[in-house]
Amino acid sequence: MDGVCAGLLLLLLPPVLASVHGQLSTGGCTFNDGPAACDYHQDLYDDFDWDHVSAQEPHYLPTEMPKGSYMIVDSSKHDPGEKARLQLPNMKENDTHCIDFNYLLFTQKRDSPGTLNIFVRVNKGPIANPIWNVTGATGKDWLRAELAVSTFWPNEYQVIFEAESSGGRGGYIAIDDIQVLSYPCDKSPHFLRLGDVEVNAGQNATFQCIATGRDAVNNKLWLQKRNGEDIPVVQTKNINHRRFAASFRLREVTKADEDLYRCVTQSERGSGVSNFAQLIVREPPRPIAPPQLLGVGPTYLLIQLNANSIIGDGPIILKEVEYRMTTGTWIETHAVNAPTYKLWHLDPDTEYEIRVLLTRPGEGGTGQPGPPLITRTKCAEPMRTPKTLKIAEIQSRRIAVDWESLGYNITRCHTFNVTICYHYYRSHNMDKVDCLDMDPKAPKHVVDHLPPYTNVSLKMILTNPEGRKESEETIIQTDEDVPGQVPFNSLKGTPFEDKIFLNWKEPTEPNGVITQYEVKYNSIRSFDPAVPVSGPPQTVSKLWNSTHHVFSQLHPGTTYQFLIKASTMKGFGPATTINVTTNISAPTLPDYEGVDAFLNETATTITVLLRPAQAKGAPISAYQIVVEELHPLRTKRETGGMECYQVPVAYNNAGSGGGSPYYFAAELPPSNLPEAAPFTVGDNRTYQGFWNPPLAPRKGYNIYFQAVSSVEKETKTQCVRIATKAAATEEPEVIPDPAKQTDRVVKIAGISAGILVFILLLLVVILIVKKRRSYYSYSYYLKLAKKRKDAMGNARQEMTHMVNAMDRSYADQSTLHAEDPLSITYMDSHNFSPRLPNDPLVPTAVLGEDLVWHHFQFTHE
């Protein structure tokens, strides 16, 4: 028993798995894996696409919407009338089948979410009209509908689901669980095969549709043309309790009605659609060309029938000539057996319409009359010219004119032409002359496509085959219209820091008298992040004769968009847009008047207080400290209104061939000066590639502080003098020039080497003296040792003084460090320091004296 159950489970497993993966059968889909898994396609030419909701992924839908995977359209995201189409694969069925599906139209408000339409396209033909649709909210629960499609192999068909948005808020259209079932629909009737219908043109055609299904007689029925036309039902008749017949009649069909037709029934539970049947229309023969006029006289017309070339079906068994007065109501018909025919007893100066009739065998075989020959018997020249034109209506681009009704008593001919000619001149490129043929039966005619505010000359011309009469010219001025655009090439904006000068020219097409200009402007972006760029635009109105305006109180470094348009009495024309960017301003430095920026001063340095600047139009790019040497022959620079130092000059280039009176001691990034901080000029450090050397004590200096803003190709600098260092009056302590440190180090090394050589020589001398002590006295050795000791002491004192002086020259350090200093002291570079007598490196010099002294004492004793 367990084995049997397991076998049944395995047999049922494939359909279950197929259901899990979303495809029940060919054409069906549960949308668990989206429409692509079921070979469904979004229409490439609709307005938007259906969205897929997956049960395994979070979604944005309201909580009232059903759970699971399905296709949906949020109508609130689309404009009214926009459509999304989901196409099922093409299907070829061999037997009766049914397509059913779930749908819902949900809304949280009273607005309608839109319309769900279903189309059935056959053999990749036109979509035609929907075979089923539903509009308005249906609730939050799924509803089910059926499609009974009676299209079988070898024909194929395709079902299309279309969601049409209504533009309401919070509306949704959804479909789910589409199934193609291999048995008839339960709620929608199935149509039997619809046969073709053949009739003659001009007769009535009748289609009879027979369907099977319960309660189908109360459904909506119509006959659908493949190209979209729907024909209502004429009569419905019950055949039995499960079958009924519906009749549809097409009246006086023509070749234009020849198409494919099918039967459609619809209820709220679904729809049934039959196969397409063809309407065949046999066209009775009709001449292609009108009769040809061979001769004309006051009372006759000689014609040739021209019945060899026809439209429609033959054969031709009868030819007839039909003629009448164009102004009369009677018609006469004459049978003709010859290719030519002469019409007798006609009125002179009268217009006639002559046609040829052809007949083929069978009922309704007489075709429509062929093209008419409209001709006339001989007539005289018109009696007079038309009366002066009457102007019925004047607009900016059109003029409507009236004229009197022209009859036979004026034209003296039933065939005549009325032409209205006009011309106008605006410029070399707009000089136009044209004539328009008018309907002589209409009392009014419109001359359009005219330029506004222009003098237009009009006249009427009456002609018949025998003569021509013209009316007098009437000059009319068209009304004003809104002007064209201000020429973009004429717009020119000249920027300044806080204003923009904008000028323009009058529109090329003023279309009237310009009354004023309106300029709307607002900022759209700025180099300065502190400048607000969002806000409503401002409006400036200018008089008709104004062609420029200065827009002031603007932000520096800001791009402004200007929209300028002109106006006539009819209103404003389209606007022309231009973007202009104001120049950036130099940064604003703090006012150092009355503020003590001086903090400390030494012989070679001066410490000042640096305070951050305020950006105007562009962020601060850098701060610069400039040192200017005071020269007695140069004019002293003033702090107010002075020109800043634009060209950066390094210290090494200031005193060389360039001869610059100043140099850049430092350049600091804005991040190094978020708030006020001290800075030491002359601290012997390097800042952003600029060396800040010690100041010369006997020279005077001006210290300047600069702030630089730079953006794209524009740079602005602001500067202020923050300190002055006077030249020292006393002799300063000698401070080595850092540029000559290498030479001094070499000299000191040479002196040290000389001292060591001297000590070695002294030791050699002592050894020699020891061997020859018998030749010298004690007093002589004592004097000699004292002299050597004094020499060593002087050398040691001179060397110590030099080292101490070098240490003092680099004792001062800066409080702002942009980079590690490049210069180092002599003692740092050579690891030199004074040694004590017990230092193992010193005994050669210092202890040597003691050894000599003790040696002398020992010898003496």
Side-chain angles (χ1 to χ4, degrees):
M1 186 66 181
D2 294 338
V4 174
C5 294
L8 292 175
L9 181 60
L10 291 175
L11 292 174
L12 293 175
L13 186 58
V16 173
L17 292 177
S19 176
V20 170
H21 286 84
Q23 185 170 354
L24 297 175
S25 60
T26 302
C29 193
T30 61
F31 303 109
N32 288 341
D33 297 326
C38 307
D39 198 21
Y40 285 23
H41 301 281
Q42 304 275 5
D43 195 332
L44 298 178
Y45 304 101
D46 56 2
D47 302 314
F48 60 97
D49 290 341
W50 287 77
D51 294 325
H52 175 239
V53 174
S54 176
Q56 282 72 35
E57 297 178 1
H59 53 75
Y60 60 89
L61 302 176
T63 57
E64 295 89 347
M65 293 294 291
K67 308 300 180 182
S69 300
Y70 47 88
M71 300 298 292
I72 194 167
V73 164
D74 187 351
S75 63
S76 63
K77 295 182 179 179
H78 307 285
D79 295 333
E82 290 189 336
K83 301 173 181 179
R85 290 175 178 169
L86 185 65
Q87 299 176 345
L88 275 65
N90 290 326
M91 290 186 287
K92 293 182 179 180
E93 297 296 334
N94 292 325
D95 203 350
T96 302
H97 60 284
C98 181
I99 301 175
D100 66 349
F101 59 93
N102 289 339
Y103 71 94
L104 66 82
L105 284 78
F106 174 77
T107 179
Q108 293 179 321
K109 302 182 180 297
R110 296 183 178 179
D111 298 336
S112 171
T115 302
L116 175 61
N117 297 314
I118 296 180
F119 302 87
V120 174
R121 176 164 55 189
V122 177
N123 294 334
K124 299 180 182 179
I127 292 181
N129 288 340
I131 65 165
W132 187 83
N133 54 34
V134 59
T135 302
T138 61
K140 61 183 180 180
D141 297 324
W142 290 107
L143 299 179
R144 196 140 191 94
E146 298 176 333
L147 301 178
V149 182
S150 298
T151 299
F152 303 105
W153 187 89
N155 296 316
E156 65 178 17
Y157 70 92
Q158 183 182 43
V159 179
I160 300 173
F161 287 84
E162 177 187 81
E164 181 177 356
S165 174
S166 65
R169 298 182 179 179
Y172 300 92
I173 302 174
I175 58 174
D176 192 12
D177 290 338
I178 301 175
Q179 299 183 91
V180 179
L181 307 174
S182 60
Y183 47 82
C185 293
D186 183 48
K187 300 175 182 178
S188 296
H190 288 263
F191 285 99
L192 301 184
R193 184 174 185 83
L194 184 64
D196 296 339
V197 175
E198 180 178 335
V199 295
N200 290 326
Q203 294 180 335
N204 299 333
T206 301
F207 282 93
Q208 189 173 41
C209 301
I210 300 175
T212 61
R214 291 178 292 181
D215 301 327
V217 69
N218 297 322
N219 293 355
K220 180 182 177 182
L221 288 164
W222 70 91
L223 186 68
Q224 187 180 80
K225 190 176 181 180
R226 183 180 60 171
N227 290 333
E229 181 182 357
D230 293 337
I231 297 110
V233 64
V234 175
Q235 183 180 8
T236 303
K237 179 181 178 182
N238 284 330
I239 299 176
N240 54 42
H241 70 284
R242 290 186 56 85
R243 181 170 293 188
F244 66 93
S247 298
F248 301 90
R249 182 172 298 172
L250 284 73
R251 298 184 179 277
E252 298 179 357
V253 297
T254 63
K255 277 289 186 181
D257 299 316
E258 195 171 56
D259 203 346
L260 297 177
Y261 294 82
R262 65 182 176 187
C263 306
V264 181
T265 177
Q266 176 183 344
S267 69
E268 64 179 6
R269 297 172 298 181
S271 177
V273 58
S274 72
N275 64 295
F276 273 116
Q278 185 176 8
L279 172 64
I280 303 172
V281 178
R282 298 297 183 186
E283 186 73 26
R286 177 175 177 265
I288 294 176
Q292 182 178 355
L293 181 64
L294 299 179
V296 60
T299 59
Y300 73 91
L301 293 171
L302 180 61
I303 62 170
Q304 183 176 352
L305 270 61
N306 288 340
N308 294 330
S309 298
I310 64 172
I311 298 174
D313 301 320
I316 300 172
I317 61 174
L318 177 65
K319 299 178 182 178
E320 295 175 295
V321 173
E322 177 185 272
Y323 72 98
R324 67 180 181 88
M325 288 187 197
T326 56
T327 57
T329 58
W330 57 269
I331 296 178
E332 288 191 7
T333 302
H334 296 170
V336 179
N337 295 324
T340 60
Y341 187 72
K342 189 172 187 178
L343 300 176
W344 295 96
H345 307 297
L346 305 179
D347 295 336
D349 300 331
T350 302
E351 185 178 75
Y352 288 88
E353 180 181 283
I354 305 171
R355 299 173 181 264
V356 175
L357 296 176
L358 302 177
T359 303
R360 65 180 296 272
E363 183 180 357
T366 302
Q368 296 292 326
L373 167 65
I374 299 177
T375 186
R376 65 195 63 81
T377 55
K378 293 211 173 190
C379 57
E381 187 179 2
M383 292 290 296
R384 58 175 174 81
T385 182
K387 292 182 179 180
T388 304
L389 293 177
K390 295 181 181 180
I391 306 305
E393 183 182 6
I394 300 176
Q395 296 184 9
S396 59
R397 299 181 184 273
R398 52 180 275 169
I399 297 174
V401 295
D402 292 341
W403 62 85
E404 64 175 316
S405 178
L406 300 176
Y408 173 78
N409 58 338
I410 298 175
T411 64
R412 309 235 358 234
C413 191
H414 295 290
T415 301
F416 59 92
N417 293 325
V418 179
T419 304
I420 184 167
C421 294
Y422 68 91
H423 72 271
Y424 58 83
Y425 176 81
R426 293 190 72 188
S427 63
H428 295 289
N429 297 328
M430 296 199 63
D431 186 11
K432 185 174 181 180
V433 178
D434 198 4
C435 293
L436 303 173
D437 291 332
M438 296 180 292
D439 184 0
K441 298 179 182 179
K444 182 184 295 185
H445 190 76
V446 175
V447 181
D448 52 10
H449 305 296
L450 299 175
Y453 204 62
T454 303
N455 290 330
V456 181
S457 175
L458 299 172
K459 67 177 179 180
M460 284 187 61
I461 301 174
L462 171 63
T463 59
N464 67 15
E466 299 297 328
R468 166 191 178 106
K469 295 291 182 179
E470 296 185 3
S471 69
E472 296 180 357
E473 282 191 346
T474 301
I475 298 177
I476 305 162
Q477 186 183 58
T478 54
D479 201 355
E480 290 185 302
D481 200 356
V482 296
Q485 285 186 315
V486 173
F488 179 78
N489 294 336
S490 71
L491 278 177
K492 183 178 181 182
T494 304
F496 300 91
E497 291 183 358
D498 59 348
K499 60 185 177 181
I500 293 175
F501 179 79
L502 185 68
N503 56 352
W504 62 87
K505 291 184 180 179
E506 183 180 276
T508 306
E509 297 181 357
N511 297 334
V513 178
I514 300 298
T515 57
Q516 67 171 335
Y517 294 95
E518 181 182 273
V519 184
K520 290 186 177 181
Y521 68 99
N522 65 315
S523 58
I524 59 175
R525 58 180 176 272
S526 178
F527 296 122
D528 190 350
V531 175
V533 294
S534 61
Q538 302 185 45
T539 303
V540 173
S541 297
K542 303 293 290 184
L543 296 177
W544 62 273
N545 56 352
S546 298
T547 58
H548 63 272
H549 184 72
V550 178
F551 299 87
S552 57
Q553 298 181 355
L554 306 180
H555 295 289
T558 302
T559 300
Y560 288 85
Q561 186 176 77
F562 297 88
L563 289 86
I564 180 171
K565 56 184 178 180
S567 170
T568 62
M569 294 297 295
K570 292 293 185 178
F572 284 98
T576 303
T577 304
I578 185 174
N579 295 341
V580 184
T581 303
T582 54
N583 298 332
I584 66 173
S585 294
T588 302
L589 287 169
D591 188 6
Y592 280 87
E593 292 291 337
V595 178
D596 190 5
F598 171 77
L599 298 179
N600 188 19
E601 181 178 353
T602 67
T604 59
T605 65
I606 181 170
T607 302
V608 294
L609 181 66
L610 303 184
R611 300 161 64 194
Q614 178 66 38
K616 292 182 64 177
I620 304 296
S621 302
Y623 292 104
Q624 298 165 345
I625 293 86
V626 182
V627 178
E628 180 187 41
E629 180 182 342
L630 293 177
H631 196 284
L633 298 181
R634 293 195 182 100
T635 303
K636 194 173 184 179
R637 292 165 55 99
E638 298 295 334
T639 57
M642 67 179 183
E643 294 184 0
C644 297
Y645 298 94
Q646 304 291 340
V647 180
V649 178
Y651 173 79
N652 294 333
N653 299 328
S656 59
S660 175
Y662 68 92
Y663 64 88
F664 278 33
E667 182 173 280
L668 306 176
S671 60
N672 280 24
L673 196 63
E675 58 186 13
F679 181 83
T680 300
V681 180
D683 64 359
N684 198 34
R685 292 179 176 273
T686 301
Y687 299 89
Q688 299 290 334
F690 293 100
W691 181 30
N692 183 20
L695 304 176
R698 285 194 172 276
K699 294 183 180 181
Y701 297 94
N702 279 335
I703 310 302
Y704 295 92
F705 181 43
Q706 294 192 157
V708 181
S709 291
S710 179
V711 61
E712 293 182 352
K713 297 182 179 180
E714 189 176 7
T715 301
K716 291 295 180 69
T717 305
Q718 182 62 278
C719 58
V720 62
R721 187 175 64 195
I722 59 176
T724 300
K725 186 179 185 306
T729 58
E730 298 180 358
E731 183 68 25
E733 186 179 359
V734 177
I735 299 174
D737 187 354
K740 301 178 180 179
Q741 287 184 9
T742 303
D743 295 339
R744 181 161 297 178
V745 169
V746 173
K747 291 179 180 179
I748 294 173
I751 294 171
S752 301
I755 294 173
L756 293 175
V757 171
F758 174 77
I759 293 172
L760 291 175
L761 291 176
L762 182 60
L763 291 175
V764 172
V765 171
I766 292 172
L767 292 175
I768 295 173
V769 171
K770 183 177 179 182
K771 291 180 179 180
R772 298 181 180 181
R773 59 182 178 274
S774 58
Y775 298 99
Y776 299 95
S777 65
Y778 169 76
S779 59
Y780 177 78
Y781 286 109
L782 182 61
K783 292 179 181 180
L784 182 61
K786 185 177 182 181
K787 185 182 295 184
R788 298 295 186 270
K789 182 176 183 181
D790 293 339
M792 288 293 295
N794 291 336
R796 183 188 306 165
Q797 183 177 0
E798 180 181 357
M799 184 176 179
T800 303
H801 176 75
M802 185 182 302
V803 173
N804 291 337
M806 292 178 63
D807 288 343
R808 288 195 303 270
S809 66
Y810 300 88
D812 298 333
Q813 299 295 330
S814 172
T815 58
L816 290 178
H817 298 283
E819 296 177 357
D820 290 334
L822 297 178
S823 60
I824 58 176
T825 63
Y826 171 81
M827 296 179 66
D828 290 336
S829 61
H830 295 279
N831 296 321
F832 181 86
S833 62
R835 303 286 184 174
L836 295 175
N838 58 356
D839 193 320
L841 297 179
V842 179
T844 307
V846 180
L847 300 182
E849 300 177 8
D850 296 336
L851 290 174
V852 173
W853 176 253
H854 289 295
H855 174 72
F856 285 170
Q857 288 181 342
F858 176 78
T859 305
H860 177 71
E861 291 176 355

